[in-house]
Amino acid sequence: MSGTGTGTGSGTGAITSAVEKTIALRREAGSGALIGYLPVGFPTLRESIDAAVAIVNNGVDILELGLPYSDPVMDGPVIQAATQQALAGGFRLRHGFEAVKAITAQVDAPVLVMTYWNPVLQYGVDRFADDLLAAGGAGLITPDLIPDEAAEWMAASERTGLDRVFLAAPSSSDARLAQAVAASRGFVYAVSTMGITGARADVDAAARILVDRLHAAGSTSICVGVGISTPEQVREILGYADGAIVGSALVKALSDGGVDAVAALAKRLAAGTQDIRNTGHPARQLG
């Protein structure tokens, strides 16, 4: 993961981000990246690994693996139910590293781990970073960690070369957005709507404004999540952002129909990126 290059705003100049490289390749192709979220350990550890591999094999470019947590304040009901089932089934933090290792042994897609910050603190920040790197992970998405309070993680990620993805919301001030851009490597996670995760019929128009604000703050890699569930919404998002993140819809498909169902949904969602790649998109700003 080391090499030359820069991240989305960290300015370190010494680390090449596998995530940002993947996004850049999709952007150069005239498209954007499809990022898929699944929780580790749901419905079982084995099935969660198989499901993650299956969605990559069906068009997902980057994996976001969620670590089940007892107080998932930002997760909607579908993801909460899945993570609580994983915890009830015996999920332990070490299973997250085992899953990353098993997945990266089978597919080349970068694997980001989405985790609330308390489990990382309890495990030990440097130990967590070392174990994630050893498992083949690409970095962390930390929804409840803000850059002001991330000094220990910033140091550990610099040392290991892991990506760090911070969140930006429509309610964020310009100063907060600038902090998120400067601190993030891989991409900035633009939350498309206010509130918790979950599929919505219409992706909030605030997402487009937020992406514009992040561009103005200097970000070159922005992915939009929360509420995306259809190929049409993927296509809409990739008209102005670098990636579309799908979570609840994939988790629901896995819950309802198992690995085959979530693989089929991933394939349909990926069609939203292929349409842009093949026909172009008037709203897409490349470069």
Side-chain angles (χ1 to χ4, degrees), residues 25-32 273 276-278 280-281 284 286:
L25 288 172
R26 297 294 177 266
R27 187 166 56 223
E28 290 162 9
S31 177
T273 71
I276 296 172
R277 189 179 299 123
N278 293 335
H281 195 295
R284 183 81 187 125
L286 303 175

Side-chain angles (χ1 to χ4, degrees), residues 15-157:
I15 294 169
T16 296
S17 161
V19 168
E20 193 159 350
K21 182 178 179 181
T22 297
I23 292 170
L25 288 172
R26 297 294 177 266
R27 187 166 56 223
E28 290 162 9
S31 177
L34 177 60
I35 301 167
Y37 166 94
L38 289 172
V40 179
F42 175 79
T44 66
L45 181 60
R46 181 69 261 168
E47 287 172 289
S48 68
I49 293 168
D50 291 344
V53 170
I55 65 173
V56 171
N57 287 337
N58 282 277
V60 165
D61 300 303
I62 297 165
L63 278 169
E64 177 186 347
L65 290 184
L67 298 185
Y69 181 52
S70 57
D71 187 24
V73 293
M74 290 189 60
D75 295 331
V78 171
I79 293 176
Q80 277 199 30
T83 56
Q84 294 308 303
Q85 182 176 325
L87 289 169
F91 172 83
R92 297 291 182 269
L93 205 54
R94 60 181 171 80
H95 295 142
F97 302 115
E98 290 172 12
V100 172
K101 185 174 182 178
I103 292 162
T104 55
Q106 297 176 69
V107 295
D108 291 331
V111 178
L112 290 166
V113 167
M114 195 288 283
T115 180
Y116 293 94
W117 191 238
N118 193 49
V120 180
L121 279 178
Q122 291 184 342
Y123 193 84
V125 177
D126 282 314
R127 179 186 171 207
F128 193 104
D130 288 339
D131 287 357
L132 180 60
L133 183 67
L140 291 182
I141 298 171
T142 50
D144 62 340
L145 181 69
I146 58 174
D148 312 51
E149 300 170 359
E152 196 173 358
W153 168 229
M154 297 288 284
S157 59

Side-chain angles (χ1 to χ4, degrees), residues 93-245:
L93 205 54
R94 60 181 171 80
H95 295 142
F97 302 115
E98 290 172 12
V100 172
K101 185 174 182 178
I103 292 162
T104 55
Q106 297 176 69
V107 295
D108 291 331
V111 178
L112 290 166
V113 167
M114 195 288 283
T115 180
Y116 293 94
W117 191 238
N118 193 49
V120 180
L121 279 178
Q122 291 184 342
Y123 193 84
V125 177
D126 282 314
R127 179 186 171 207
F128 193 104
D130 288 339
D131 287 357
L132 180 60
L133 183 67
L140 291 182
I141 298 171
T142 50
D144 62 340
L145 181 69
I146 58 174
D148 312 51
E149 300 170 359
E152 196 173 358
W153 168 229
M154 297 288 284
S157 59
E158 283 304 298
R159 179 178 60 79
T160 56
L162 291 168
D163 282 345
R164 46 181 185 257
V165 176
F166 290 96
L167 271 63
S171 59
S172 300
S173 68
D174 289 344
R176 285 289 186 191
L177 294 186
Q179 283 183 318
V181 168
S184 292
R185 181 167 58 230
F187 61 87
V188 178
Y189 191 130
V191 181
S192 69
T193 58
M194 300 303 293
I196 59 176
T197 61
R200 290 172 173 82
D202 297 304
V203 175
D204 199 328
R208 191 183 295 263
I209 297 171
L210 178 57
V211 169
D212 287 344
R213 293 177 65 205
L214 286 166
H215 279 140
S219 181
T220 59
S221 188
I222 306 164
C223 298
V224 173
V226 183
I228 303 169
S229 59
T230 68
E232 293 75 21
Q233 289 173 338
V234 169
R235 189 180 306 118
E236 175 189 348
I237 293 296
L238 295 184
Y240 58 88
D242 300 294
I245 304 167

